[in-house]
Amino acid sequence: MIDLDEQIAQTLREHAEGDVDTHRLLRASRARGRRRQLHRRVAAGTALSLVGVLGIVGVTGTGLDGVTDRLPWSAATSTGVTPVPPRVAGVPGAAADPALVGSDPNVLHFGLDPSQARYLGWSVVRGHLESVRLSVRDGQQVYVEVTRTAGDLSSSVEFDNVEVDVTGPGVQSFDGTIHPLNGGTSGMVTSWHPAPSLYARAVILNGDGAGLEQAVEALRWNEARSCAVPLRLDALPEGAPINNCSVDVSSYPRLVTSDFTIGRAATQVMFVNYQYASGAGTRTAGNRTIAGRPAYLSPDGTTLDLLGTPRTEVRAVFAWGWDGKQPIGAEPGASSGFTEADATTVLAGARVVDDPTRPQSWK
């Protein structure tokens, strides 16, 4: 599998004259983090995985309870009423205006009927796609993506550390036909046009066609919802907008995570991660101060943590420094383009909710 450094370099070379594909970089980062976490779990023979984890996977360090990295999205049994992204007034849904899909990283242009399905997570990648993770029936897991360009749909989907191929015969027909997953994996996939000029795909793992149909029926294309998170970023570096917003509430209220990517020019990407773990402690010893709050700059100078919020970690990954090496194949002198000062700007303007188990307070 391609190493993260190689993936970054490859993506930058391919997009040297245009915008960086932050969606692809984020997927590569998460994939590498999953492999590291899995190897550690096997070696340690333990599953201390739901608390104490790093923010951006793929970047090593100590998490909230001393465990490094974090697990990817998983459909762990929720211990509370799962948050539902709030409606955005005055914004049409995807069916009314397909061109809006992917246009705003803070807005999902479709939603779920919560009486038929439970939100496990949601995500928007500016200029690419919008997605939700949900569960139906007896906890069957479903992943749904919608985009204006068929090529932006994922060729694989990850469920509980399992990479699932969704490129089998007939999947590109977009006629609503349900197909078995490729490679003998137990599950189903369907692709369809929810509205003209829109492409959607839904995947269910270890589920049947009835579960997949229920998930599709639960989708609502006539509404817009906020990519609500327990963190608000009120200050951004100049010329560097938010390009990605994603939230994982599959283990809510024990664990809530969210990721942002901030992009500028073709080679500049910063990751910002929020994580709340109900059973974790709070690290307070820092080596920096940001807006009167303690902060910690990593020894390799690549990440900056905002400290002091109970059971919560907020982290900005502003420089390439994975394994302390320059990305393989990157041009001489290439860098992420962001600095500690940029990360300080972002974290100084970060608003963290006091209690993420009160979704009505999310931004």
Side-chain angles (χ1 to χ4, degrees), residues 135-154:
S135 64
V136 294
R137 301 175 71 187
D138 298 324
Q140 294 184 64
Q141 310 166 31
V142 181
Y143 178 63
V144 179
E145 288 182 335
V146 60
T147 179
R148 289 175 289 152
T149 305
D152 280 339
L153 292 172
S154 300

Side-chain angles (χ1 to χ4, degrees), residues 63-302:
L64 295 170
D65 69 347
V67 180
T68 52
D69 288 356
R70 70 176 174 86
L71 281 177
W73 170 86
S74 63
T77 301
S78 174
T79 56
V81 178
T82 305
V84 173
R87 293 284 292 266
V88 180
V91 177
D97 191 349
L100 291 177
V101 171
S103 63
D104 186 340
N106 299 305
V107 180
L108 288 157
H109 295 89
F110 72 109
L112 299 178
D113 179 349
S115 68
Q116 298 187 50
R118 179 171 73 90
Y119 280 99
L120 299 176
W122 50 87
S123 176
V124 182
V125 182
R126 185 199 295 271
H128 290 275
L129 53 83
E130 301 176 7
S131 63
V132 296
R133 295 185 183 272
L134 60 130
S135 64
V136 294
R137 301 175 71 187
D138 298 324
Q140 294 184 64
Q141 310 166 31
V142 181
Y143 178 63
V144 179
E145 288 182 335
V146 60
T147 179
R148 289 175 289 152
T149 305
D152 280 339
L153 292 172
S154 300
S155 59
S156 63
V157 176
E158 295 127 12
F159 291 94
D160 299 335
N161 294 318
V162 177
E163 187 98 2
V164 177
D165 183 4
V166 292
T167 60
V171 174
Q172 297 294 337
S173 61
F174 295 97
D175 60 1
T177 302
I178 295 178
H179 302 274
L181 289 174
N182 235 358
T185 305
S186 176
M188 302 285 179
V189 56
T190 184
S191 303
W192 75 104
H193 294 286
S197 302
L198 285 184
Y199 300 84
R201 179 168 296 155
V203 185
I204 189 169
L205 181 68
N206 297 324
D208 53 24
L212 192 58
E213 289 176 349
Q214 181 182 346
V216 172
E217 290 173 0
L219 300 174
R220 296 292 177 263
W221 302 98
N222 59 349
E223 62 187 43
R225 295 188 173 270
S226 170
C227 186
V229 300
L231 171 68
R232 178 173 174 175
L233 302 180
D234 284 344
L236 299 172
E238 184 177 357
I242 293 173
N243 286 329
N244 167 262
C245 164
S246 64
V247 180
D248 183 336
V249 292
S250 57
S251 296
Y252 176 88
R254 298 189 308 272
L255 178 67
V256 179
T257 66
S258 64
D259 296 310
F260 296 92
T261 61
I262 297 171
R264 181 174 57 195
T267 62
Q268 302 177 12
V269 179
M270 183 192 303
F271 298 97
V272 179
N273 173 259
Y274 166 95
Q275 181 168 269
Y276 168 84
S278 63
T282 300
R283 188 176 68 188
T284 58
N287 53 17
R288 297 287 191 277
T289 299
I290 297 178
R293 292 177 287 182
Y296 179 77
L297 178 68
S298 64
D300 62 0
T302 64

Side-chain angles (χ1 to χ4, degrees), residues 4-25:
L4 174 62
D5 295 338
E6 294 173 335
Q7 181 69 70
I8 289 175
Q10 179 179 331
T11 301
L12 293 177
R13 287 195 300 270
E14 292 174 359
H15 295 266
E17 302 301 326
D19 293 335
V20 68
D21 190 342
T22 55
H23 179 46
R24 188 169 168 192
L25 291 180

